[in-house]
Amino acid sequence: EVQLVQSGAEVKLPGTTVKISCEVSGNTFRDSYIHWVKQAPGKGLEWMALIDPGDGERIFAERFQGRVTLTAVTSTGTAYMQLSGLTSDDTAVYYCATPIVDGQSSLPAHWGQGTLVTVSS
Amino acid sequence: QSALTQPASVSGSPGQSITISCTGPSSDFSEYSYVSWYQHHPGKAPKLLIYEVSNRPSGVSNRFSGSISGNTASLTISGLQADDEADYYCSSYTSRGTCVFGTGTQVTVV
């Protein structure tokens, strides 16, 4: 069974940086993309970016390009998403997700429990 | 990239069937075989219901089914139950190879 466990809630000051972790088990970490998805309060799901742990390829949604840093440590099966220059608009729940194991699609399938990031002065 | 368009809300009575649509520009459905659907209860992680347009993951009820026609994908929930009350999202690829979600549909069981 694929499981994704994310780090705990964070409270951050405006202008600072947050780093969220996502530990993946139950699949071949190197062979599976890691997606990052944002859900702001009262809003829908918004895709942010993905990383391929196998070759380090990263793809970003345009509006997050330049503020999001993605890393993946294959030895521990853990991915990280760092978001810089935080504003109140970044207050949201952030999810990591991986594709389905027994399919061709690379879209999100298995999800972490979400990490609440609150940006407040 | 623009989100895929879904109706804001759909409602139905217990036992009925409802259908949620997901429409995007042709370029957003450039890979027509890759549409997924998710159920999202507030405070929980989204749950995959359908992948590759019409495939159900193991453990997902056969009351959920997916289809596609042109640039509109659809999720049908049959035998509506109280626990089906949630937000539902579609997702697909864009022509850039990025992922895009639908605007989301709130399902109410009345």
Side-chain angles (χ1 to χ4, degrees):
Chain A
E1 180 189 3
V2 178
Q3 291 192 324
L4 291 81
V5 178
Q6 298 181 225
S7 49
E10 302 262 10
V11 178
K12 291 291 184 178
L13 292 171
T16 62
T17 296
V18 67
K19 189 172 185 178
I20 300 168
S21 68
C22 172
E23 185 176 354
V24 183
S25 61
N27 70 354
T28 307
F29 185 73
R30 290 181 60 91
D31 296 334
S32 194
Y33 293 147
I34 306 292
H35 295 269
W36 291 91
V37 177
K38 174 184 178 180
Q39 186 175 39
K43 303 293 186 182
L45 301 177
E46 181 178 17
W47 185 83
M48 300 174 66
L50 69 79
I51 183 170
D52 181 344
D55 63 11
E57 179 187 20
R58 297 159 176 85
I59 302 176
F60 298 91
E62 287 181 20
R63 77 183 212 93
F64 292 103
Q65 185 92 42
R67 275 212 308 141
V68 172
T69 302
L70 302 182
T71 53
V73 180
T74 55
S75 60
T76 61
T78 304
Y80 300 88
M81 190 275 290
Q82 182 171 295
L83 183 61
S84 61
L86 292 171
T87 72
S88 57
D89 289 342
D90 296 316
T91 294
V93 176
Y94 293 86
Y95 295 98
C96 59
T98 60
I100 199 158
V101 173
D102 57 349
Q104 299 298 315
S105 172
S106 294
L107 294 170
H110 307 282
W111 295 71
Q113 82 276 20
T115 297
L116 173 63
V117 174
T118 303
V119 182
S120 174
S121 56
Chain B
Q1 64 273 7
S2 300
L4 304 173
T5 301
Q6 298 180 229
S9 63
V10 174
S11 63
S13 302
Q16 282 188 332
S17 293
I18 60 170
T19 297
I20 302 167
S21 61
C22 169
T23 303
S26 299
S27 59
D28 277 340
F29 279 137
S30 59
E31 297 284 346
Y32 284 96
S33 296
Y34 298 118
V35 178
S36 293
W37 288 92
Y38 310 90
Q39 178 189 64
H40 193 196
H41 286 107
K44 291 191 170 183
K47 175 185 177 183
L48 179 69
L49 297 176
I50 298 288
Y51 67 100
E52 293 170 19
V53 176
S54 59
N55 292 336
R56 273 187 310 275
S58 173
V60 172
S61 170
N62 60 9
R63 297 187 302 107
F64 297 95
S65 61
S67 62
I68 193 166
S69 177
N71 67 336
T72 298
S74 299
L75 173 72
T76 298
I77 309 174
S78 59
L80 201 61
Q81 300 177 357
D83 190 49
D84 296 333
E85 203 162 271
D87 296 321
Y88 291 80
Y89 296 89
C90 60
S91 74
S92 186
Y93 292 111
T94 71
S95 55
R96 285 183 61 229
T98 59
C99 172
V100 62
F101 287 98
T103 48
T105 299
Q106 184 177 53
V107 168
T108 304
V109 181
V110 296

